[in-house]
Amino acid sequence: CVAPGVYTFHVSDSGGNGLGEAGSGGYYVIADGLKLGVSSFFFHDEEMTFTLPFDGDEYDGDKETACADDFFLAIKTDDKPAETRWNVVDNESGNAVLRGGPYALPWAVYTKRACLPNGSYTLNVVDSGGDGICCDYGQGFFVVSSDGETIADSSGKYGDTFSTDFHLGNKTGTDDSAA
């Protein structure tokens, strides 16, 4: 029995190949008999954030996994990983609901998965060195997707800040479960 709240599952691999040769392994996050998430790959570090009890009715295409890839971020650091941070802000409340960085390993791929309520959000990626995650200090990147569709991707050339708005669920950003 787990108390209601927000939880984060964290898995890391010091070898950098995830769960198996070439990242061929995977894992499931299951709560109350419901498969909340699944990952078929990761490299150095991955987190999945979710709320219990899970009251969503979102499922991926196989109707067996709730919220498998509601929000997914992969970020590859450059030679100065400690300069990189990001957050996701809920536009209704103004609160940061997810965040990551600073990072420790250069040229490492970090991933973050999360189950978020339907609504409007802003992704902010910040580089305190002001040069993004590229160029003079190696080529980093990030990509963000929801349910397999790309929300944002970057070659790492964004200066000190990259921001973009995105919606989960219906396009108005309102909770369609209230209808």
Side-chain angles (χ1 to χ4, degrees), residues 50-71:
F50 53 93
T51 303
L52 292 178
F54 182 76
D55 60 0
D57 59 358
E58 301 169 17
Y59 292 89
D60 68 359
D62 67 10
K63 300 291 184 198
E64 294 178 8
T65 305
C67 191
D69 273 333
D70 199 31
F71 173 87

Side-chain angles (χ1 to χ4, degrees), residues 15-141:
N17 67 348
L19 296 171
E21 195 60 38
S24 62
Y27 66 84
Y28 297 97
V29 175
I30 300 173
D32 293 331
L34 183 64
K35 197 184 310 177
L36 294 179
V38 58
S39 177
S40 58
F41 74 94
F42 78 96
F43 295 97
H44 291 91
D45 191 81
E46 180 163 283
E47 291 184 340
M48 180 182 175
T49 301
F50 53 93
T51 303
L52 292 178
F54 182 76
D55 60 0
D57 59 358
E58 301 169 17
Y59 292 89
D60 68 359
D62 67 10
K63 300 291 184 198
E64 294 178 8
T65 305
C67 191
D69 273 333
D70 199 31
F71 173 87
F72 176 74
L73 169 107
I75 188 165
K76 180 182 177 192
T77 58
D78 61 7
D79 193 35
K80 296 192 173 201
E83 293 180 350
T84 305
R85 290 181 172 77
W86 62 269
N87 69 22
V88 172
V89 175
D90 178 330
N91 291 338
E92 184 176 326
S93 70
N95 295 326
V97 294
L98 297 172
R99 56 180 42 115
Y103 295 102
L105 297 174
W107 307 295
V109 176
Y110 294 89
T111 55
K112 173 74 174 182
R113 296 175 189 274
C115 292
L116 296 172
N118 290 345
S120 176
Y121 298 90
T122 300
L123 167 71
N124 303 294
V125 182
V126 177
D127 182 86
S128 62
D131 61 349
I133 47 177
C134 75
C135 310
D136 294 339
Y137 300 102
Q139 186 62 50
F141 67 85

